[in-house]
Amino acid sequence: MRRLLSSIQVPIWLKKHSFHTRLLVTYLLLTALSTSLMSGYLLWSFHSYFMRTRQADLENWTTALSESAADAIERQDLERLELLVHRYGAPETVTLRIFAPDGRLLVSSNPRDPQTMNWLEVAGVREALQNQTAQGLAKGLFSQDDRLYVARPILRNGQLLGVLRMSLTLQQYQRQFVTLAWAAMSALLLTVILCTLISDQLARSLSKPIQTMRNFAIRLGSGHFGDKLTIRQSTELDQLAIELNRMSERLASLDRERRVFLANVSHELRTPISNIQVTVEALRSGASEEPALRDRFFQTIEDETRRTARLIYDLLDLGRLEAGVTLLERQTIVLRQLIDRALRAVESRMKAKGLSTQLAIADVWLEGDPERLLQAILNILDNAIKHSKVDSSISISGYRQVKQVVIEIQDQGMGIRDNDLPRIFEQFYTVDPSRKGSGTGLGLAIAQRIVQAHGGTIAASSLVGQGATFTIYLPLKS
Ligand SMILES: Nc1ncnc2c1ncn2[C@@H]1O[C@H](COP(=O)(O)OP(=O)(O)OP(=O)(O)O)[C@@H](O)[C@H]1O
Ligand SMILES: [Mg+2]
């Protein structure tokens, strides 16, 4: 059935039309087809039922009458025959005729019947004279109306005594039938009109929200993010509207993020570059004469250049991670070796600040890109060192928890306030803007992207004044 339905193709000319027209035409065609089939079937069955019952009536009447006629013929009682045809015949509607075996008309209920006529030409008479009952539809002799007839031989002991022919006009029935057909046609017309109105309404109610959504999508496409769509129709369209709204919100927030990001990038780049510019100008206008000042200025230029380079490197890295362009290597990594490498990299900085480490690393393996994971851990360690109090300690633990590897890095710095905690993984977010010189706020964002690319998560918790803890969860090597 489904295959049959799907094989019904929408005609090309209809494809070009709007959803509304297509629905409307489809509904109309379906209702017109079904109602005309229905009324056609009803009329046909009514007609055939009527014909069958009339035919059966005629048969029964003629069977009974031919017995009485046989009696009268046997007794050569023409008067009785006359009486018989007049009693059972009715002017115009029922005509009853009795013929002799030679085809002569003996009696007729119709007084207009001519005596001199070849009755063998009348439908059914010839067959009946040859001992066969005939029945069917024929034109009336004088009125030319359609009549149902039965012609049956009158038999007694196998001998043909004559023929009895009875016919019934269908005029009245036909008039009735035409009235009925007109009624059916009117009903059909009425149904089609009503259906047009209802299906137009229905098609409109379906196509209108789609139109609204289309306009909404066009607005969205032309950059009007954040608009809201309200549709109260059917659940499916509602669902679609909800999804479109969600998309609009997401686009709006992405757009906001993009603007903020661009503003941050240009700000972050402008600061070191204008620092370099000012310093170069100062050097040109005489500062280079003074050795101490000159050295400091050169140092500034070097620092700012390094900072700009790092910023650009970080931004590119972040962009690649975000776009999923960076291909991660898949290697088996021993967690202890990874932590050792990270610690070696920051050893001198820790020593300079008098920091010690407390390690508790279990024997666990994980799978991933060692350079990337090292970078993520270094970004967290870098923060821990930056924010640690002098001569404090940083503890690093690594262990297995169900199907995950957990890496915890805890410092004894001043911690992070609760309202900053949810935002520290955002790009360019730094808790204290006045201390911005120390970082651009990309370190944790990059660490998070790396961990996420490995199918893991990263979280931070903190007790203000006592330090912060960063926890990385990574899937265990399967
Ligand atoms: N261990 C920590 N203790 C206290 N504050 C922290 C700690 N780690 C991060 N933060 C806060 O979170 C902010 C975001 O950290 P993130 O590493 O992303 O940026 P950053 O260190 O400022 O700059 P970058 O890492 O790009 O040089 C930091 O500015 C800092 O205020
Ligand atoms: Mg950092």
Side-chain angles (χ1 to χ4, degrees), residues 310 314 379-380 382-384 386-387 411 414-416 424 426 429-432 435 438-445 468 470:
R310 217 196 85 189
D314 278 357
N379 284 4
I380 294 171
D382 174 65
N383 287 347
K386 259 197 303 199
H387 297 282
D411 63 59
M414 63 285 214
I416 308 162
I424 51 171
E426 286 176 19
Y429 189 79
T430 48
V431 170
D432 185 0
R435 287 184 355 91
S438 61
T440 47
L442 289 176
L444 285 180
F470 284 83

